[in-house]
Amino acid sequence: TLQAVYKAYSGRKAGPGIGNFMSFGEFQDLLEQIDAYDLEFPRQRAGLAFRLGMMTQAEESYASRFQEMTFIEFQHALGAVVSLRANFQYNRMAELVNIFFTKHLFRAVPLHAAKA
């Protein structure tokens, strides 16, 4: 389940009093764990996928929100990962997302969520 993966990988690096957001480092950890990288989407492009998933924030000088990914932004970032990978075709987006989730994302599903 996507929500379980987000919960398992988000908030681990947050300081006290910070909400449950996913940081860029946590997003990178997830991508590494699920073996998301390929020839067209190397590790160096993880930041691009992270930023493509994020909403634009008006204030980036005094607030850290632009570095804190919400669940909906996480979903968008995963879509960006799929679109940046090799052999992407726009007319096959739904199919490719399904394949990516089936072949890769299951590796990050916590054991208790997989049994449910």
Side-chain angles (χ1 to χ4, degrees), residues 66-88:
F66 74 99
Q67 302 175 77
E68 301 165 340
M69 183 180 281
T70 63
F71 179 65
I72 191 75
E73 291 168 331
F74 173 66
Q75 293 173 331
H76 290 182
L78 289 177
V81 168
V82 170
S83 71
L84 293 168
R85 287 174 49 86
N87 302 316
F88 175 73

Side-chain angles (χ1 to χ4, degrees), residues 1-2 8 10 16 22 33-36 39 41 45 50 56 58-59 61 73 76 78 81 87 93-94 105 112 114:
T1 83
L2 204 48
S10 61
M22 182 175 284
Q33 176 68 34
I34 66 173
D35 193 28
L39 293 174
F41 182 62
R45 296 190 81 192
F50 184 84
T56 301
E59 176 54 58
S61 297
E73 291 168 331
H76 290 182
L78 289 177
V81 168
N87 302 316
M93 180 69 175
L105 205 60
H112 61 85

Side-chain angles (χ1 to χ4, degrees), residues 13-98:
K13 299 179 181 180
I18 304 284
N20 191 29
F21 296 103
M22 182 175 284
S23 69
F24 176 56
E26 292 164 337
F27 185 68
Q28 286 179 305
D29 292 346
L30 171 65
L31 294 180
E32 190 71 40
Q33 176 68 34
I34 66 173
D35 193 28
Y37 302 110
D38 66 11
L39 293 174
E40 294 290 321
F41 182 62
R43 286 170 181 76
Q44 296 87 342
R45 296 190 81 192
L48 175 60
F50 184 84
R51 291 302 304 154
L52 286 171
M54 298 292 290
M55 290 190 313
T56 301
Q57 300 297 316
E59 176 54 58
E60 293 186 357
S61 297
Y62 301 105
S64 62
R65 172 61 186 94
F66 74 99
Q67 302 175 77
E68 301 165 340
M69 183 180 281
T70 63
F71 179 65
I72 191 75
E73 291 168 331
F74 173 66
Q75 293 173 331
H76 290 182
L78 289 177
V81 168
V82 170
S83 71
L84 293 168
R85 287 174 49 86
N87 302 316
F88 175 73
Q89 297 171 356
Y90 288 103
N91 61 338
R92 295 183 56 219
M93 180 69 175
E95 176 189 356
L96 293 173
V97 166
N98 188 42

